[in-house]
């Protein structure tokens, strides 16, 4: 008896959703894409991924939908929208989810799962997905993939909350989907700790790209910004440790060295700012700051960056 292939729903077909959705569809999975403003362009021209790793990819036709009501029930829902709209997104996820569906948040920031969990049916499994990738959307239905692509998965909550064996089985099944699409993926034992790890890079580079209007190459080339990046990385490690999540002392240095070897990259927050979209300040800055403060740890440089970005965000929109 063969096990039917799972149906995958992409909720938010921007850079992240577009890239992973195209890769999964090319691997033979039944993938359905929910879009908003770009529905007409994608329906007519398909989805394109210009990848430095995989070459020129074109998915046409695309199983695209402008309304969740038109989508079939999906076994896996990969959420590529910004964390700023998670609460409003919950009814859509419940509407398109098949029984026992797995919802994977492919988002940056801390506790994005916590902010969504209370608005979802308890029957749905909620997973964290951390994307290590350089990608952005250049025009409707067109994604530019610069480098990397790994997705780490971890179980957060749901009906398997008291069954570690089932949690492991679900995470491994999710990783297998990505593996079949040629994407590296591995399990995370602790979603909260893994998100603190990712903040070590996201806090300095996302924020400073907006504040200083520069990509990684310029930021790493200037003595003053290099010093600030290292100080911000050290604060994130300090905050994580205060919250009980040990990050090795060498980790920040590894992230710093890795960035020196990268081609110039403009993080997602830079693109959000340029296109006058809300910045993900709550998930990347406010929640980590609040968690650290509750643990008796102040992060002054990170707080100053958050305050400056809050001003910029309010006046930009």
């Amino acid at each position: 008896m063969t096990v039917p292939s799972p149906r995958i729903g992409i909720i938010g077909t921007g850079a992240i959703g577009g890239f992973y959705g195209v890769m999964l569809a090319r691997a033979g999975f039944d993938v359905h894409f929910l879009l908003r403003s770009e529905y007409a362009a994608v329906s007519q021209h398909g989805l394109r991924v210009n990848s430095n790793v995989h070459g020129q990819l074109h998915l046409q036709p695309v199983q695209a939908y402008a309304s969740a009501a038109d989508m079939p029930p999906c076994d896996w829902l990969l959420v590529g929208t910004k964390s700023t709209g998670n609460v409003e997104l919950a009814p859509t996820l419940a509407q398109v989810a098949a029984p026992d569906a797995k919802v994977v948040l492919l988002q940056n920031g801390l506790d994005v799962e916590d902010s969504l969990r209370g608005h979802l049916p308890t029957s749905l499994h909620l997973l964290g997905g951390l994307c290590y990738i350089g990608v952005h959307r250049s025009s409707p239905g067109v994604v530019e993939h610069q480098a990397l692509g790994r997705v780490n998965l971890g179980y957060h909550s749901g009906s398997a909350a008291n069954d570690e064996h089932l949690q492991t089985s679900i995470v491994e099944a999710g990783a297998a989907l990505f593996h079949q699409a040629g994407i590296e993926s591995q399990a995370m034992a602790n979603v909260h700790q893994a998100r603190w790890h990712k903040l070590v890079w996201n806090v300095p580079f996302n924020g400073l790209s907006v504040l200083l209007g520069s990509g990684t190459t310029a930021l790493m080339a200037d003595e003053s910004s290099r010093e600030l990046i290292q100080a911000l990385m050290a604060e994130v490690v300090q905050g994580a440790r205060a919250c009980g999540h040990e990050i090795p002392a060498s980790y920040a240095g590894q992230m710093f060295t890795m960035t020196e070897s990268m081609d110039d990259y403009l993080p997602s927050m830079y693109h959000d700012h340029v296109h006058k979209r809300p910045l993900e300040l709550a998930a990347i800055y406010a929640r980590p700051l609040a968690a650290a403060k509750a643990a008796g740890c102040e992060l002054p440089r990170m707080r100053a960056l958050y305050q400056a970005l809050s001003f910029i965000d309010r006046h930009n929109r």
Side-chain angles (χ1 to χ4, degrees):
M1 180 178 177
T2 59
V3 178
S5 177
R7 180 182 289 144
I8 302 171
I10 305 297
I11 310 301
T13 310
I16 291 291
F19 173 78
Y20 290 113
V22 167
M23 293 295 289
L24 288 162
R26 289 179 71 253
F29 289 106
D30 184 18
V31 184
H32 299 257
F33 297 82
L34 181 62
L35 303 104
R36 293 179 181 173
S37 60
E38 299 186 4
Y39 171 76
V42 171
S43 296
Q44 183 175 358
H45 303 294
L47 282 167
R48 294 185 181 275
V49 174
N50 302 319
S51 173
N52 292 342
V53 179
H54 306 286
Q56 306 298 304
L57 312 178
H58 184 207
L59 181 65
Q60 176 73 312
V62 177
Q63 298 185 107
Y65 307 84
S67 170
D70 298 328
M71 288 184 70
C74 295
D75 305 296
W76 287 85
L77 295 172
L78 307 186
V79 180
T81 58
K82 297 295 181 180
S83 61
T84 49
N86 276 1
V87 173
E88 294 79 7
L89 188 65
T92 296
L93 296 174
Q95 185 175 18
V96 300
D100 201 42
K102 292 79 177 172
V103 179
V104 183
L105 295 189
L106 303 177
Q107 298 176 333
N108 285 326
L110 188 67
D111 296 341
V112 291
E113 297 84 9
D114 295 355
S115 66
L116 179 62
R117 177 72 266 179
H119 302 275
L120 291 178
T122 57
S123 60
L124 297 185
H125 304 281
L126 185 59
L127 287 74
L130 274 66
C131 305
Y132 294 86
I133 187 170
V135 67
H136 71 276
R137 186 181 59 83
S138 58
S139 61
V142 181
V143 176
E144 309 296 332
H145 175 222
Q146 185 170 325
L148 307 175
R150 174 165 53 96
V151 181
N152 289 349
L153 301 175
Y155 193 90
H156 178 269
S157 56
S159 56
N162 298 316
D163 188 336
E164 291 188 9
H165 177 75
L166 181 55
Q167 291 179 29
T168 300
S169 176
I170 289 171
V171 171
E172 289 179 349
L177 297 179
F178 288 108
H179 287 155
Q180 291 180 57
I183 297 165
E184 183 183 351
S185 182
Q186 60 189 42
M188 302 182 295
N190 186 315
V191 174
H192 293 282
Q193 179 165 325
R195 289 200 172 279
W196 273 105
H197 271 78
K198 198 156 190 280
L199 286 170
V200 172
W201 195 93
N202 277 332
V203 163
F205 287 104
N206 270 283
L208 292 179
S209 73
V210 173
L211 189 65
L212 303 179
S214 299
T216 54
T217 298
L219 292 172
M220 294 297 289
D222 185 88
E223 182 179 349
S224 296
S225 53
R226 284 172 65 89
E227 183 178 336
L228 182 54
I229 289 164
Q230 290 175 312
L232 284 164
M233 285 183 164
E235 281 198 353
V236 176
V237 172
Q238 180 185 356
R241 290 175 175 172
C243 293
H245 303 298
E246 188 63 30
I247 296 180
S250 60
Y251 182 77
Q254 292 170 5
M255 291 296 98
F256 192 82
T257 301
M258 179 271 293
T259 309
E260 283 190 305
S261 64
M262 286 171 50
D263 290 336
D264 189 36
Y265 181 63
L266 291 163
S268 60
M269 190 171 285
Y270 176 90
H271 293 285
D272 288 339
H273 172 68
V274 168
H275 294 286
K276 298 187 179 297
R277 296 188 290 257
L279 303 184
E280 294 183 286
L281 300 182
I284 296 179
Y285 296 95
R287 290 180 198 146
L289 284 167
K293 185 174 182 178
C297 178
E298 292 289 346
L299 309 174
R301 292 180 180 83
M302 183 173 167
R303 182 167 296 280
L305 179 56
Y306 168 56
Q307 291 168 329
L309 291 169
S310 297
F311 176 91
I312 290 171
D313 190 39
R314 285 192 295 270
H315 289 266
N316 190 44
R317 292 186 284 123

